[in-house]
Amino acid sequence: MRIENIRIFKKRTSRRAALLAEELHKWAEGRGVTAFDDGESAGSGADPDLLIVLGGDGTFLSAVRWVGGRRIPIMGVNLGSLGFLTEIAVEELFETLTALYEGTAPIERRMTLEGEVTRRGEVKERFRVLNDVVFSKTALARISDLEVWVDGLFLALYQADGLIFSTPTGSTAYNLSAGGPIVHPSVPAIVLAPICPHAMSHRPIILGPESKFEVRIRKKNGEVFVTLDGQSGFELEHEDIITVRRSAEDVLMVRSPKRDYFTLLRTKLRWGDKLRTEGDS
């Protein structure tokens, strides 16, 4: 991969991220590569060849929003606690960066979702997410009725605290907490998982990547919101129609050459850890 300029996207409140950014500037300078911090002008105005994220998964998702639909590889360096998206450890940063510079680090394409909110026949909002689109109520709101259609066919009327539409990448986020399945990133699919459904028979469902969903707010008991990648959101109104489908634009994610997806799952979800009880050594 040809790298001539790098943009560093860091968590602004992290002293560790600031120090690491200084090291990245030195690495780049030693190789004739131009490095810019987030918010600085890149001079020519051209897109960077690489975006390096220093922070947690929230910072990574903010970087995805900044990239938009542009084909800019994103390398996530984990300074947070979990790090499913920022999977590269700090001690692996320069090794992975050098491998990328030499063309040996893997870059994966991750599918995204897009859609729009239509209100009284007018498109009010458009969106694109890497992880998920979440419909939810406030703490004091009662269960609302959310009607879901797939490719013009009626699926179900959900009486629930909310719904989650997830990509395979987002399957290990809120979807997993709501009882949804883990989907390998190489599997093109869209997961629909209800949040605390009134009907116990309403289970998560996996549908094909070409499926087009419509969510209609049929009964609103209090405030109902849609949240996009946990980064932004807005309140919905009665009879709003929200469309969700696969986007034509993927996110390019730099992976660690030393870690496969199953190792990531075992590490982050602690699969195989022995249960310890009080008194165990």
Side-chain angles (χ1 to χ4, degrees):
M1 175 181 174
R2 185 178 180 83
I3 302 177
E4 294 183 347
N5 64 83
I6 295 171
R7 182 171 290 277
I8 303 169
F9 199 102
K10 62 180 183 292
K11 185 174 182 178
R12 300 184 186 277
T13 58
S14 171
R15 174 62 177 164
R16 190 182 185 193
L19 293 173
L20 203 54
E22 292 178 6
E23 294 184 43
L24 281 168
H25 278 279
K26 294 177 183 177
W27 181 94
E29 184 179 353
R31 288 162 177 78
V33 174
T34 304
F36 297 90
D37 285 337
D38 180 41
E40 292 182 346
S41 173
S44 65
D47 287 338
D49 300 311
L50 174 67
L51 186 68
I52 299 179
V53 177
L54 306 177
D57 286 353
T59 309
F60 190 97
L61 290 169
S62 295
V64 169
R65 291 179 63 198
W66 181 87
V67 168
R70 294 173 291 175
R71 295 176 55 81
I72 303 173
I74 308 176
M75 176 191 293
V77 182
N78 185 29
L79 301 182
S81 56
L82 192 56
F84 266 106
L85 301 176
T86 51
E87 68 168 77
I88 296 171
V90 171
E91 55 270 20
E92 299 174 339
L93 167 58
F94 293 101
E95 180 182 356
T96 304
L97 186 54
T98 299
L100 187 65
Y101 184 76
E102 296 173 350
T104 59
I107 299 178
E108 282 187 357
R109 300 175 68 95
R110 298 291 184 91
M111 67 172 278
T112 62
L113 300 176
E114 67 179 14
E116 55 272 332
V117 178
T118 302
R119 182 170 297 160
R120 292 182 286 277
E122 180 184 354
V123 175
K124 304 296 293 185
E125 299 280 351
R126 298 185 188 276
F127 56 84
R128 178 172 171 269
V129 299
L130 173 62
N131 266 0
D132 48 37
V133 179
V134 177
F135 297 82
S136 61
K137 66 182 184 67
T138 59
L140 297 179
R142 300 170 70 183
I143 289 175
S144 295
D145 292 353
L146 304 174
E147 191 176 280
V148 179
W149 294 69
V150 184
D151 300 326
L153 302 175
F154 178 61
L155 173 62
L157 178 67
Y158 289 91
Q159 293 182 315
D161 285 356
L163 296 173
I164 304 168
F165 290 87
S166 170
T167 65
T169 299
S171 69
T172 51
Y174 196 178
N175 165 74
L176 185 59
S177 298
I182 295 175
V183 182
H184 193 279
S186 66
V187 178
I190 301 174
V191 182
L192 168 56
I195 304 170
C196 299
H198 182 72
M200 293 300 292
S201 58
H202 278 158
R203 299 290 90 192
I205 182 172
I206 302 174
L207 292 161
E210 304 308 319
S211 299
K212 180 179 178 180
F213 299 85
E214 279 191 1
V215 179
R216 304 175 185 179
I217 312 301
R218 285 308 186 202
K219 185 178 180 182
K220 186 181 174 189
N221 292 318
E223 295 176 317
V224 178
F225 290 86
V226 62
T227 305
L228 311 169
D229 271 349
Q231 298 283 304
S232 63
F234 42 87
E235 186 177 356
L236 299 172
E237 294 185 5
H238 178 62
E239 297 295 341
D240 278 357
I241 298 175
I242 303 87
T243 303
V244 180
R245 60 185 173 270
R246 181 179 184 173
S247 172
E249 305 294 339
D250 293 335
V251 169
L252 303 179
M253 183 184 297
V254 178
R255 298 291 312 279
S256 169
K258 301 172 63 176
R259 188 179 300 107
D260 59 64
Y261 183 72
F262 301 116
T263 299
L264 186 67
L265 289 180
R266 290 194 303 272
T267 302
K268 303 301 181 181
L269 299 181
R270 296 186 173 276
W271 285 358
D273 274 10
K274 293 181 178 179
L275 295 176
R276 294 183 177 275
T277 59
E278 187 177 352
D280 286 350
S281 58

